[in-house]
Amino acid sequence: AQKITQTQPGMFVQEKEAVTLDCTYDTSDPSYGLFWYKQPSSGEMIFLIYQGSYDQQNATEGRYSLNFQKARKSANLVISASQLGDSAMYFCAMRGPSGGSNYKLTFGKGTLLTVNP
Amino acid sequence: DTAVSQTPKYLVTQMGNDKSIKCEQNLGHDTMYWYKQDSKKFLKIMFSYNNKELIINETVPNRFSPKSPDKAHLNLHINSLELGDSAVYFCASSRLGLAASDTQYFGPGTRLTVL
């Protein structure tokens, strides 16, 4: 079975500063995908960034980057230059390869990020 | 232009009733999903359909029955609603659904409250 762990229930950051949200995972699959989603207080789930297990470079999408350390099984989300609108719950998720029992998307418990002005 | 839409957004009902939630995607995706988010914000997959075929069926009470009339629609019917069914239900879709890299896009959610 695959498992996602987000150890920070809540994080605070000052506006314009960078913040790292932690995510570790456990899987026996050699091939997998890692995802981050944002859930603002309005409730919708917004896809942010994806990292494949065989990708050589860390994924980046605008102010979001994924610090992927495969040996440590970590996939931390880095948000640069935080904005007030970044205040939200952030979920890390993973998915195993097709055909296997882990190809469903498994989510962590989330980290609630608050950006202070 | 909404990519994944769900109706209704809010659903308040009495215990024992039967209700349905509808989901539609206009992304041309082949795979659709239902997730349940509990009061602690934990998200768990319930079902997935690929081209109208059920491919994921997690341990969910059989009071929950998904129905996919075509690959753009996935409805969730719940019989004999219980207090513990109160949650936010999300529909999602993805292009293929059969690869680890396949990104899922979520609908706005339906908040179900059972009284």
Side-chain angles (χ1 to χ4, degrees), chain A residues 41-62:
Chain A
S41 58
S42 51
E44 70 269 30
M45 293 285 292
I46 302 166
F47 165 70
L48 294 178
I49 195 166
Y50 162 78
Q51 178 85 42
S53 58
Y54 292 122
D55 292 345
Q56 296 295 315
Q57 293 191 330
N58 287 340
T60 60
E61 287 286 350

Side-chain angles (χ1 to χ4, degrees), chain A residues 31-35 37 39 42-45 47 50 89 91 95-99 103-105 107-109, chain B residues 9 33 35 37 40-45 55-56 58 90 94 97-108:
Chain A
S31 171
Y32 49 88
L34 295 156
F35 303 82
Y37 285 85
Q39 187 176 38
S42 51
E44 70 269 30
M45 293 285 292
F47 165 70
Y50 162 78
M89 183 75 89
F91 292 96
R95 188 181 196 182
S98 61
Y103 63 82
K104 61 190 177 187
L105 199 59
F107 284 86
K109 291 185 177 180
Chain B
K9 189 163 173 61
Y33 311 81
Y35 287 86
Q37 186 174 43
K40 295 185 179 178
K41 300 284 190 181
F42 185 61
L43 267 158
K44 194 172 185 327
I45 188 156
I55 58 171
I56 295 176
E58 288 293 284
F90 284 98
S94 64
L98 299 176
S101 60
D102 202 40
T103 298
Q104 296 180 21
Y105 296 91
F106 284 74

